[in-house]
Amino acid sequence: MPCYRIPKTFLTIYPMRSVELKILDTTLRDGEQTPGVSLTVEQKLLIARALDSLGVDIIEAGTAIASEGDFKAIKEIANAGLNAEICSFARIKEIDIDAAADADADSVFMVAPSSDIHIKSKFRDKTREDVIEMSVKAIEYAKERGLIVEFGAEDASRADLEFVKELFRHAVDAGADRLTFADTVGVLTPERCEAIMRELSSEFKVPIAFHGHDDFGLATANTIYAVKGGAKEIHVTVNGLGERAGNAALEEVVVALEVLYGIKTRINKKRIYDTSKLVEKLTRVVIPPNKPIVGENAFTHESGIHTSAILRNSATYEPISPEMVGRKRTIVLGKHAGRASVEAIMKELGYKATPEQMKEILARIKEMGDKGKRVTDADVRTIIETVLQIKREKKVKLKGLNVVCGKDIIPTASIILEIDGKEFVGAGVGLGPVDAAINAIKEVVSEFADIELVSYHVDAITGGTDALVDVIIQLKRGDKIVTARGARTDIIMASVEAFIEGLNMLI
Ligand code: MN
């Protein structure tokens, strides 16, 4: 397998090498165990297809025995003609294995407790010897049912390593095809993880996999060190979803392995961002803005000094290009907005300013920022237009809005918008009054343009129920993202105002 070529400007800590590395994605199993996440069969199929085109080797699609929905999802995914191996989670129980086989899974990730704390609290009267016996029986049965068996030791990082090895020896004798060392509660350190992987890889002929959790923020580091130690397979989830603090994040592990360690995976990195956004949308677990690789701010620049350097040479403040992971760079104007970013907006709008006007524009932006206000694109446009004395005709105007909400009724909104002088009426329902109002606008606007709401942020300026509410939203159309604000004492009106302001910038 050819090595990944690292651009000369990137720091490479270790020499490039080829490793036969498999990626098991467990977004649909461990990821779905994220508190509050529940996916329908259709949603699971959508994510599975995305993971397949992303290029993951194994998709752990759920736990066939867990529910009718999970069983159905695994069956549909297994029969969707994907390239990836489709895997079901299973305990060391015949009913679990039967469910996985009946759901047409290619493989099972079969897990046995290995630490004494897990053995005692899960099986009560059972001993280590019982766990070995049950595991052997279950593996033999799964092989009889024609499944690939990936046998995992749960909570292995808190178990007696000698017992884990004994368990693994019996597992291999019983026919296990791969072995997984699970850091179930995320207590491994990278050094220990590497040492354990080295020890296991030298002792066992079957591939060793590592399953890491992020309780101490070390999941990515541990997973990379597992590969250094000889792991041939790693478990990850998109956006690092998973129980508690989550699992190792696919995007972080893959990009770090390839860019910093020169270890190639089969992941199509250009599809990382779209996959991440799909998972965010369907799981409703919002990606923190400062999350590596996929966070909204990962390739966003605000400071004036930075932006002018970035515009000259993007490598100044970016370790990788956003395009590598299927993204685009965003320049946001803040209190540090410098001449370069203001000029970029002026150019886009087709305006020209005299040196005095430019000085005045920059001074006003700074003043706003110094007062602690977030400076949005809309603010900068307003400032530019005020200083240049340009009156902008608004294309979209709010003519009427009616929202009904309360107990035992679905929040419903109807709206009248004037677009280019013509009136349009729209209606929408939602989870709440703001959602309903925004959906009503979207219904009208969808005929004109494909607008996506990227983020929605509310601040109450002062305390109290009569406070002024400041809504800041980001809207996206194609590659273009704009930020707009609405400030009112009425949260629905503030939201609608911000949305319409954003539309005026985009349409
Ligand atoms: Mn786990």
Side-chain angles (χ1 to χ4, degrees):
M1 186 177 36
C3 276
Y4 178 71
R5 293 255 161 253
I6 294 171
K8 284 197 188 91
T9 49
F10 296 143
L11 171 74
T12 311
I13 304 170
Y14 299 93
M16 285 186 281
R17 59 202 170 112
S18 291
V19 179
E20 191 55 41
L21 183 66
K22 277 192 176 166
I23 297 206
L24 178 147
D25 181 282
T26 182
T27 306
L28 296 177
R29 200 275 299 172
D30 223 338
E32 212 211 5
Q33 284 167 226
T34 301
V37 172
S38 174
L39 297 165
T40 65
V41 174
E42 291 72 27
Q43 289 173 329
K44 284 195 147 196
L45 190 60
L46 270 175
I47 293 176
R49 284 190 196 283
L51 291 171
D52 198 53
S53 31
L54 184 65
V56 308
D57 301 280
I58 306 160
I59 297 172
E60 193 181 355
T63 308
I65 191 73
S67 69
E68 221 171 283
D70 245 24
F71 180 87
K72 213 173 150 226
I74 294 171
K75 193 159 188 136
E76 286 199 15
I77 292 167
N79 291 296
L82 306 181
N83 292 316
E85 172 187 317
I86 306 305
C87 176
S88 167
F89 184 85
R91 295 165 298 178
I92 40 175
K93 288 186 168 180
E94 274 194 16
I95 46 163
D96 288 35
I97 296 157
D98 280 333
D102 293 344
D104 300 332
D106 300 309
S107 59
V108 275
F109 174 40
M110 185 196 287
V111 165
S114 65
S115 66
D116 292 332
I117 174 171
H118 269 235
I119 295 172
K120 275 196 198 102
S121 51
K122 285 191 152 176
F123 289 168
R124 277 179 210 121
D125 53 334
K126 298 273 192 296
T127 62
R128 289 180 177 188
E129 286 65 40
D130 296 328
V131 171
I132 290 178
E133 201 186 308
M134 289 166 75
S135 300
V136 166
K137 262 196 184 156
I139 294 166
E140 283 171 352
Y141 184 66
K143 291 312 294 179
E144 266 171 47
R145 293 237 37 191
L147 292 157
I148 297 168
V149 175
E150 177 165 332
F151 179 76
E154 190 180 18
D155 200 25
S157 47
R158 289 193 300 179
D160 169 5
L161 188 57
E162 287 314 309
F163 171 65
V164 173
K165 287 205 267 184
E166 195 189 335
L167 182 61
F168 279 175
R169 278 192 285 271
H170 283 91
V172 172
D173 288 343
D177 301 280
R178 307 188 291 257
L179 298 169
T180 303
F181 190 93
D183 183 20
T184 304
V185 292
V187 293
L188 274 188
T189 58
E191 297 82 2
R192 209 166 113 70
C193 188
E194 182 184 6
I196 291 170
M197 287 297 127
R198 184 151 290 141
E199 197 172 326
L200 294 177
S201 323
S202 67
E203 188 163 335
F204 294 96
K205 291 217 160 50
V206 299
I208 306 292
F210 177 70
H211 178 103
H213 275 270
D214 206 29
D215 295 73
F216 288 87
L218 289 173
T220 298
N222 285 337
T223 306
I224 286 167
Y225 272 65
V227 177
K228 279 184 73 191
K232 294 283 183 286
E233 182 192 311
I234 48 177
H235 289 198
V236 292
T237 58
V238 175
N239 300 340
L241 286 181
E243 288 187 281
R244 306 183 312 282
N247 291 54
L250 180 145
E251 61 279 3
E252 291 177 19
V253 171
V254 166
V255 176
L257 275 177
E258 296 210 357
V259 174
L260 302 177
Y261 290 84
I263 293 169
K264 181 92 180 92
T265 68
R266 274 177 287 272
I267 297 297
N268 175 5
K269 295 192 297 303
K270 286 205 182 306
R271 297 206 49 85
I272 285 180
Y273 189 59
D274 283 352
T275 311
S276 160
K277 293 309 270 186
L278 176 74
V279 169
E280 177 187 46
K281 198 168 135 192
L282 296 182
T283 60
R284 292 171 182 266
V285 178
V286 178
I287 303 166
N290 59 337
K291 191 147 181 28
I293 317 293
V294 294
E296 210 46 55
N297 291 348
F299 298 97
T300 300
H301 308 278
E302 186 177 298
S303 145
I305 309 158
H306 285 194
T307 40
S308 51
I310 281 272
L311 293 173
R312 254 174 266 136
N313 179 2
S314 60
T316 343
Y317 289 101
E318 282 174 354
I320 59 166
S321 75
E323 288 77 16
M324 182 193 275
V325 290
R327 302 194 62 172
K328 288 232 160 73
R329 177 175 310 117
T330 316
I331 307 278
V332 164
L333 297 159
K335 79 186 236 183
H336 306 290
R339 185 176 294 270
S341 33
V342 173
E343 273 170 357
I345 286 201
M346 300 256 291
K347 202 173 154 195
E348 192 190 313
L349 295 172
Y351 298 153
K352 276 206 172 80
T354 63
E356 292 79 54
Q357 286 173 325
M358 192 65 184
K359 228 170 123 182
E360 176 66 22
I361 290 166
L362 290 170
R364 288 194 191 198
I365 292 170
K366 263 217 160 62
E367 190 190 315
M368 238 184 125
D370 289 341
K371 280 183 188 154
K373 282 191 89 178
R374 251 181 280 203
V375 186
T376 68
D377 303 24
D379 294 324
V380 175
R381 276 158 200 254
T382 309
I383 289 171
I384 290 173
E385 281 159 0
T386 312
V387 173
L388 299 185
Q389 298 290 316
I390 299 161
K391 285 233 164 10
R392 184 158 47 102
E393 190 54 41
K394 292 210 163 140
K395 272 198 149 182
V396 185
K397 285 180 201 158
L398 178 65
K399 285 287 172 187
L401 173 70
N402 182 36
V403 182
V404 189
C405 64
K407 189 181 182 300
D408 294 334
I409 58 162
I410 299 164
T412 308
S414 58
I415 199 159
I416 307 168
L417 291 180
E418 188 189 295
I419 303 175
D420 274 340
K422 262 198 234 158
E423 277 193 4
F424 293 87
V425 181
V429 294
L431 295 172
V434 172
D435 193 33
I438 298 295
N439 286 338
I441 303 177
K442 277 186 177 165
E443 197 214 43
V444 175
V445 176
S446 64
E447 291 174 34
F448 300 88
D450 194 14
I451 308 274
E452 189 195 328
L453 179 64
V454 180
S455 69
Y456 176 89
H457 182 92
V458 187
D459 271 328
I461 305 291
T462 53
T465 50
D466 59 350
L468 188 66
V469 179
D470 193 10
V471 172
I472 295 179
I473 63 167
Q474 277 189 308
L475 295 182
K476 187 175 174 186
R477 182 191 189 187
D479 301 337
K480 200 172 169 193
I481 295 182
V482 295
T483 310
R485 161 186 282 138
R488 293 268 191 154
T489 46
D490 175 339
I491 188 169
I492 302 168
M493 272 308 294
S495 307
V496 167
E497 212 171 64
F499 202 97
I500 290 175
E501 185 62 38
L503 283 179
N504 273 308
M505 288 190 265
L506 286 174
I507 293 181

